[in-house]
Amino acid sequence: MTQPPLSTTVRELIQKARIVSFANWHSTHPPEAIQRFQAADDQGRYLTDEDLQQIQQMVSANTSLISVTQELRDRVAEIVDEARTQVLSTFPHITQPGGGLYPAARADACWRDFWHFLRCITYGIAGQHTDYTSAEGLHYMQLLYQELQVPLDAMVVGLEGIKAASLQRVAPEQQQTLSPYFDHLIEKLKQFC
């Protein structure tokens, strides 16, 4: 069964729903470092080892969390799997007919969003900026989620699951330092509800 094509409105909202912003990073990062972050975001990918190495060289005083960024990036599949399990446990009928993540393509889009949420969070962690989001991009994401009738309660549970799964993979002494990066996006998403 093929999916119906996305409406023009949805396609436009997807283009505008860029939730990361590096606009306030100029006081802590040189333009070349910001370009590395921006290129990764433009390409919808995690920062590579090369990106992180270059950023570390350019901003050496601000890179204590680079290894955490690599760890989360390298374990994104299992982190997203744990978040998905949390959503399916909390909302057991969500992927069945009548559920907010039915048919399967809707569920797949949700899990893909989880992958991207963690990607955005890792940018904040690597740059040590807890306020890494764009108000405008989040506004368009909220409109997109409304248009697509995304189950926001499930997305918040998923994002909380991403936080829990991620923090389990870092040293206990780093968990308190990292929590605000996750909480920032969780709070923004809760404002959609």
Side-chain angles (χ1 to χ4, degrees), residues 5-17 140-148:
L6 297 174
S7 71
T8 303
T9 301
V10 167
R11 285 197 309 272
E12 288 173 0
L13 288 172
I14 289 170
Q15 292 300 314
K16 294 178 179 178
Y140 286 116
M141 188 171 94
Q142 181 177 10
L143 295 177
L144 175 65
Y145 276 14
Q146 287 172 353
E147 183 74 19
L148 294 174

Side-chain angles (χ1 to χ4, degrees), residues 53-79:
Q53 182 181 16
Q54 292 295 318
I55 290 165
Q56 195 162 17
Q57 288 174 359
M58 290 182 256
V59 197
S60 58
N62 201 23
T63 57
S64 61
L65 299 177
I66 292 288
S67 62
V68 172
T69 304
Q70 290 169 309
E71 178 73 11
L72 296 178
R73 176 201 66 202
D74 293 346
R75 301 184 74 183
V76 63
E78 57 196 74
I79 291 168

Side-chain angles (χ1 to χ4, degrees), residues 26-167:
H26 295 284
S27 62
T28 57
H29 290 74
E32 299 81 12
I34 294 171
Q35 287 171 0
R36 288 256 175 198
F37 283 101
Q38 189 65 62
D41 189 42
D42 290 346
Q43 296 166 20
R45 63 171 173 80
Y46 282 76
L47 294 162
T48 64
D49 286 343
E50 181 185 340
D51 290 329
L52 293 168
Q53 182 181 16
Q54 292 295 318
I55 290 165
Q56 195 162 17
Q57 288 174 359
M58 290 182 256
V59 197
S60 58
N62 201 23
T63 57
S64 61
L65 299 177
I66 292 288
S67 62
V68 172
T69 304
Q70 290 169 309
E71 178 73 11
L72 296 178
R73 176 201 66 202
D74 293 346
R75 301 184 74 183
V76 63
E78 57 196 74
I79 291 168
V80 169
D81 283 347
E82 287 181 30
R84 175 177 35 240
T85 299
Q86 183 64 45
V87 168
L88 296 175
S89 171
T90 306
F91 304 97
H93 304 292
I94 199 164
T95 58
Q96 298 174 5
L101 295 180
Y102 180 87
R106 283 180 64 82
D108 290 344
C110 174
W111 316 141
R112 206 169 30 253
D113 281 359
F114 289 177
W115 187 93
H116 284 292
F117 287 157
L118 185 56
R119 174 179 65 82
C120 297
I121 291 166
T122 63
Y123 295 163
I125 293 170
Q128 293 190 6
H129 279 266
T130 53
D131 185 8
Y132 52 85
T133 54
S134 157
E136 182 180 11
L138 285 165
H139 169 72
Y140 286 116
M141 188 171 94
Q142 181 177 10
L143 295 177
L144 175 65
Y145 276 14
Q146 287 172 353
E147 183 74 19
L148 294 174
Q149 298 177 345
V150 172
L152 294 172
D153 52 352
M155 297 304 281
V156 170
V157 166
L159 202 43
E160 290 170 341
I162 288 169
K163 175 185 175 183
S166 296
L167 294 183

